Every structure is written in C-alpha cells, then in structure tokens.
DNA sequence: ATTTTCATGTAATCTGTTACATGATTAC
DNA sequence: GTAATCATGTAACAGATTACATGAAAAT
C-alpha cells in the first residue's frame, strides 16, 4: 500500500465519491500538502478495490464508460486506522528553499529578489484566501474536534502557519538580496 | 535537466567535490528541503558531465574505481544562473499533514495525540540543533549577504521557521485530540 | 460555436528508493 | 577483529507526470 492509497481512504472518510470527485476533493485543503492526478488515482482505486478496502457501485456515466462510485469498507477503515498513528515519513521537495541555497552567489541578485518578492506576494494571496476559508469553517463548526470535518480545519491551520512563515522568510530574503 | 541536476550545480558553487562528498553536502542544510541518494547522484553527475555543465578530474580512489572530483564549468554556472530566478514548482509531499486530515475520525484519538506529541518533540529537538548551528554560522559571518555561504544561513532560517510552525501546530493538534 | 465540467481509462516517460556489488583505509 | 568512513557504480522496482484517447451535458 502506497501513501496515495491511504490518502484516498482518508478522502473517502468524508463520504462515497467517484475517482473524478476524489481528484477534486484532494485539491482542498490537503492539496497544499499532498497531490495526485486522475491518472494516478484511477489505477490506485482499482488496486484498493482488489484489496477490498473500497467497493464500487457502477452507474451510467456521461462518457463512453460506466461511472463508479467508491465507498470505504470496514477493511478499508481498519487499514486506515492502522496506518494513521504510525510515524510519518518526511520526503522534502522544496524548490524555493533549494534556490535560496545558491541565491546569494547568483549573477543577478535583483532578479533573485524579484523571485522572492513574488513568493511573498503569492503567500500573502494564499493567506487572504485561507482567512476566508477559515471564517467559513468556524461558522460551520468545523473547528470542533467532534465535527467530522475537523481534519479540514486542522490541515488549513498548518497551511496558514506555513504560508505565514514563508511570507516572513521570503520578505526577509528579498530585502537581503536588495542590499 | 531535472531539479536534481540544478541542486548538484548549486552544491558545486561551494567548491569542487566528489559524488560522495556531494551526497554528504546535500544533507546539511538543504537536506531539510531536498534529498537524494548516491544512486541518484552518480548517474546525474555523468549526465551533467555530458552536457558540459561540470568537468571531472580523475584520481586514485580508495576502492576498485577511480575517484572523480567534479567542478562547475562556465556553462554550468550559466545554466544555474538561468534556472535560479525562474518561478519554482511546488510539489507538496507531507504525510504529517495528510494524517491530520483523517486524525479526528480515527478510532483511537489518544494514539493520534501521541503521534503529534512526537512530531512536536522532534520539532523541538530540531530547533535546538538549528539554534546551535545558527550561532556558529553567525560567528563565521555567514549571515552576511556577501558571504559565499549566506545561502546556508538562508536555508537554515527557513528550516527554523518551518520547525517552529510545525511545533506550534502539532502541540495544538495534540491538545485538541486529547480533549 | 466554444469552452468547461463531468467522467474514465492507458501509455510513455521521468524521478526516486531499495538493494546489490566491490574494496581500501581509519577508528574503536 | 569489527564497524564506520571513503568511494563508485548498476539493477530492479515503485511512484509521479505528461500525453493520448473518448464523449455527453452544461455553461458561456
């Protein structure tokens, strides 16, 4: 079982969905911390189905193929419960940080400053969007641990913190590069 | 050219090195944001060499094969300078965040709390180590933008911010899960 | 009329991890 | 003597991206 498999099981705790819907559902809010394309999701759902972690109910689709709605099975829930408390692997891939390593010895420092000013601007935009999402979530009571969508709120909180940190750092780095 | 190729060019701005040394050099500080094994690094160095971005000087090695010391060429420096200011791709892979999405609906919340308490403890340990590294860097003047190792300092700063954010978030999440 | 959304799949390619394979020197 | 460090490679596998392929319904 790959991490993607568990990601899909996690998404299915929010209710049954088609592969297409899971592709959308993954974008917000966990898309800030995990992504997958439909080309990766469809074969993985087939594997989960073979393992008995999900079941599919077929119906008429809009295109040439049948539409399959997947649901979590008891076995799937068990597999997820087993995986969740295990220590998580950390696989860092952050190009923005990587570029900072060589930024100061770059030929054109002012262009590097522009890059980090853009990073800061993007972070500010993300924070504005997150702030609105947060308000909506609080209104709906998702900030309560007993609400089934508390996880969405928790992930958003990490996103807010990460973007705030990124904003401060990129602003600092850009100002250093402007000197 | 893959991101790894540019990562290796970035590492070589600190001076010539063997594949083995690059494997070590990558661990600190950029290992917090980008990693690669030697099995990935050796073939990539061969590719960079074919492209003329690096040159290798061979010498007697400790094992059965010759030891190759790689240096950045003018073309390599150009390729790096070209890549650096371009907007960076963001490929998120964060299992800790992913697990939070399903944490609240997990069967055993107190085990999930333990997971995030451990995350917080690890972050605290990382922060302690980073603090010492930061002091050493400041003593050596790496916090000055004109120092060739300013990039190491900049990456460490992002690391400190990230761990601080992770610590605060994991502590909060654990306390929520304990309720 | 054209684009977007819904909906599912496969193929080719690229990237990354784990395991296999060798062997000298240095530290404990 | 045993383990760690230095040093370089390949092979097999797993994971992820991009491109190819089809087609209805709804929105612009």
């Amino acid at each position: 079982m790959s991490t993607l498999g568990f990601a899909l099981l996690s998404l299915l705790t929010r209710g049954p969905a088609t592969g297409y819907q899971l592709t959308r559902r993954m974008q917000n809010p966990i898309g800030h911390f995990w992504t997958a394309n439909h080309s990766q999701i469809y074969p993985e759902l087939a594997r989960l189905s073979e393992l008995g972690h999900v079941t599919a109910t077929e119906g008429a689709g809009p295109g040439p193929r049948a539409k399959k709605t997947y649901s979590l099975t008891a076995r799937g829930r068990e597999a997820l419960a087993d995986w969740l408390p295990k220590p998580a692997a950390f696989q860092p891939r952050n190009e923005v940080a990587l570029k900072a390593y060589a930024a100061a010895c770059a030929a054109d420092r002012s262009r590097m400053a522009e890059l980090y000013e853009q990073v800061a601007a993007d972070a500010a935009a993300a924070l504005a969007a997150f702030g609105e999402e947060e308000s909506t979530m609080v209104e709906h009571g998702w900030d309560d641990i007993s609400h089934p969508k508390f996880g969405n709120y928790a992930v958003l909180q990490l996103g807010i913190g990460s973007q705030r940190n990124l904003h401060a750092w990129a602003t600092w780095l850009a100002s250093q590069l402007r000197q």
Side-chain angles (χ1 to χ4, degrees), chain A:
Chain A
M1 278 280 295
S2 66
T3 304
L4 175 63
F6 292 111
L8 294 175
L9 295 183
S10 297
L11 288 167
L12 285 170
T13 62
R14 300 295 192 270
T18 65
Y20 185 86
Q21 286 174 317
L22 289 170
T23 311
R24 301 274 136 186
R25 203 179 276 184
M26 186 170 272
Q27 283 168 24
N28 190 274
I30 72 168
H32 305 292
F33 300 105
W34 203 275
T35 54
N37 301 321
H38 79 273
S39 60
Q40 215 185 338
I41 289 172
Y42 287 116
E44 188 64 38
L45 283 169
R47 257 168 262 145
L48 289 172
S49 194
E50 265 184 63
L51 288 167
H53 292 327
V54 299
T55 40
T57 55
E58 292 195 22
R65 290 191 195 83
K67 167 175 151 177
K68 291 173 193 167
T69 304
Y70 293 91
S71 311
L72 256 184
T73 63
R75 279 190 66 182
R77 239 169 248 282
E78 258 178 70
L80 182 61
D82 210 59
W83 172 76
L84 280 174
K86 283 186 191 159
F90 182 57
Q91 303 136 289
R93 300 282 152 204
N94 187 336
E95 257 189 48
V96 172
L98 181 57
K99 288 186 176 196
Y101 182 78
C105 34
D108 194 342
R109 266 189 212 169
S110 87
R111 278 191 69 199
M112 288 312 292
E114 275 170 44
L115 171 68
Y116 290 103
E117 278 154 10
Q118 189 57 54
V119 169
D122 291 347
L127 278 169
F130 284 178
E132 281 187 44
E133 276 184 70
E134 194 191 12
S135 305
T136 317
M137 285 188 183
V138 171
E139 274 171 45
H140 288 81
W142 297 9
D143 57 334
D144 187 338
I145 184 81
S146 26
H147 195 285
K149 287 201 171 177
F150 172 81
N152 295 52
Y153 180 75
V155 172
L156 186 73
Q157 286 305 314
L158 186 62
I160 289 172
S162 300
Q163 293 296 322
R164 245 204 280 269
N165 177 47
L166 185 62
H167 182 267
W169 176 79
T171 304
W172 165 78
L173 183 53
S175 81
Q176 292 283 306
L177 289 162
R178 286 269 176 229
Q179 271 176 26

